[in-house]
Amino acid sequence: MPDNDDYRAALRALSDELIAIQKPILILDAIKWPQAMENAFFAGGAKTLPAFGREEYLQRNPLNFDPATTDQRLGDFQKRIANVLGHNDPLGTILWETAEQYRLVVKLLSERGRPEFLTASRQLYGSARDHLRGDSTPLIDMGKRLCEIFSLPAASHLASAYPKNISAEQAVIQLRERLQPFFHDSAFSVRETDGIVSDAAAGGDCIKINSNASFSRLELQVLEVHEGWVHVGTTLNGRRQPWASWLSVGSPRITALQEGLAVLIETLTFSSFPGRARKISDRVVAIDMAEQGADFIEVYRHFVDHGLSPKESYKIAQRVFRGGMVGGGACFTKDLSYVKGFVETVNFIRSAILADVPQILPLLFVGKVSLGDVPVLYQYLDDGTIQAPHYLPPMFRDLNGLYVWFGFSSGLSQVNLQSVQSHFQTLFHQLKPTPGSEL
């Protein structure tokens, strides 16, 4: 139909315009710390706050865009959406909200090293004291409980058989071999780089491996499904959209689903391990400490005192204080997205199954989306405005197993776990751990 063709053409034009406006807005590049900061911190005995404040951000990490000009362009773009697509258009609303998120990102990056950085971060990613969606449980309570579970003595015993003996060069080769069949008809690649702070990161159709990192076999399993199946997969699915091209890029509004879905896939494929899960929950505790006024060294020492290595403790503190104020007063709350997104994504899937609409679940992978976007996008599948995702993990391609898993999960949630645990504790109390045994 001509009208539909006109609508799609307008949607594509607006989508492409938003992609162009947001392209120079690189959050992590704008707040990253150089490797020299870690070296200096430990050279000083881990007793002195890292010397990285507002002036260092402005000098070392200059923005690739002019904040005022970019904010104006985004504001003008929002005004045009209603004129072009009509008021209250569902896809137009998603575009408008995405543009609004980028305006907040511009504010966030303009306030690096200031207290206002935390205000903007909370608007984008939330606070550790926020309640989980649809529940009265604060996120920090969930984070602390998970820390307890993943810090039990058995956790370290389970991971002891998996040393970090895979070099970056070997990791590139192994990940390429694992993922090329999944992305067989794309330009997917894996490469080494010394330009990232983390051990690995997804970027478009590529997974980047830190040249200075080493990995265990378990960590490669995580990278395969977390960075590959989810982060790269959703990017490539978004790029295949003929009209909604904005689904190939992500503003902070999609971060919780992206990270939560990635952690869920780690779990469903049995790729994760206790140390990995603890790292994710530790970040919630670290953010809460920083939000309540702790400085960098206080957060660092907390995790050293709780059994993490100095390097691991530094990395957690660094992730929390990047962009903020190392002396306290501002932090980066993005890493709440892992636990928050996991819980909300699990509840979304369980709810979709109980509501008899499991067919919407593959659209979690249609591109860079939020949970609220999924039911909206589903309505546009039939007329081809939105295309179904091409790259899907096996359990989302055939939903039978997923349905059963989450059906049982929903049923088991009604059981009083504390009472059941007390019952079985009588069977376990005489057992002693055997650290030298193989499981």
Side-chain angles (χ1 to χ4, degrees), residues 33-252:
W33 291 7
Q35 179 63 39
M37 296 301 301
E38 180 178 349
N39 300 337
F41 180 75
F42 287 116
K47 297 179 181 179
T48 305
L49 289 172
F52 213 80
R54 180 162 178 79
E55 291 305 314
E56 284 72 25
Y57 286 114
L58 296 176
Q59 294 174 13
R60 291 175 178 264
N61 303 345
L63 299 178
N64 299 319
F65 60 92
D66 176 69
T69 301
T70 301
D71 181 71
Q72 182 64 51
R73 289 181 67 191
L74 288 165
D76 292 343
F77 173 80
Q78 288 176 304
K79 294 174 183 177
R80 282 199 303 281
I81 291 172
N83 294 332
V84 174
L85 299 182
H87 292 282
N88 302 316
D89 177 76
L91 297 182
T93 298
I94 295 176
L95 275 173
W96 190 95
E97 291 176 355
T98 302
E100 184 69 10
Q101 285 274 293
Y102 285 124
R103 297 186 77 176
L104 284 171
V105 172
V106 170
K107 176 68 173 175
L108 175 86
L109 298 183
S110 299
E111 302 294 352
R112 291 171 297 172
R114 290 175 170 168
E116 291 79 9
F117 181 87
L118 175 58
T119 301
S121 183
R122 282 171 168 165
Q123 289 177 291
L124 290 166
Y125 303 106
S127 165
R129 299 296 171 101
D130 289 346
H131 289 179
L132 293 164
R133 192 184 318 201
D135 192 80
S136 61
T137 305
L139 186 55
I140 181 58
D141 288 359
M142 175 67 73
K144 287 180 177 178
R145 177 57 181 149
L146 292 174
C147 285
E148 292 173 2
I149 294 171
F150 296 126
S151 299
L152 293 172
S156 58
H157 170 54
L158 288 170
S160 62
Y162 299 93
K164 296 166 72 79
N165 58 3
I166 301 173
S167 68
E169 182 179 4
Q170 292 171 322
V172 168
I173 295 171
Q174 292 186 31
L175 279 175
R176 187 180 294 139
E177 291 175 348
R178 292 180 184 211
L179 284 166
Q180 279 184 338
F182 189 85
F183 297 116
H184 64 93
D185 55 352
S186 77
F188 169 77
S189 64
V190 185
R191 64 180 176 84
E192 277 189 69
T193 179
D194 57 4
I196 57 174
V197 175
S198 58
D199 289 344
D205 55 8
C206 175
I207 293 179
K208 302 173 185 177
I209 301 295
N210 191 322
S211 299
N212 300 310
S214 58
F215 303 87
S216 70
R217 181 164 63 85
L218 290 178
E219 288 171 328
L220 287 190
Q221 291 176 190
V222 169
L223 291 177
E224 177 184 3
V225 300
H226 185 115
E227 305 294 346
W229 289 10
V230 177
H231 293 332
V232 174
T234 52
T235 296
L236 295 181
N237 285 335
R239 289 180 181 178
R240 295 175 70 93
Q241 292 297 322
W243 312 111
S245 59
W246 88 85
L247 292 176
S248 63
V249 298
S251 68

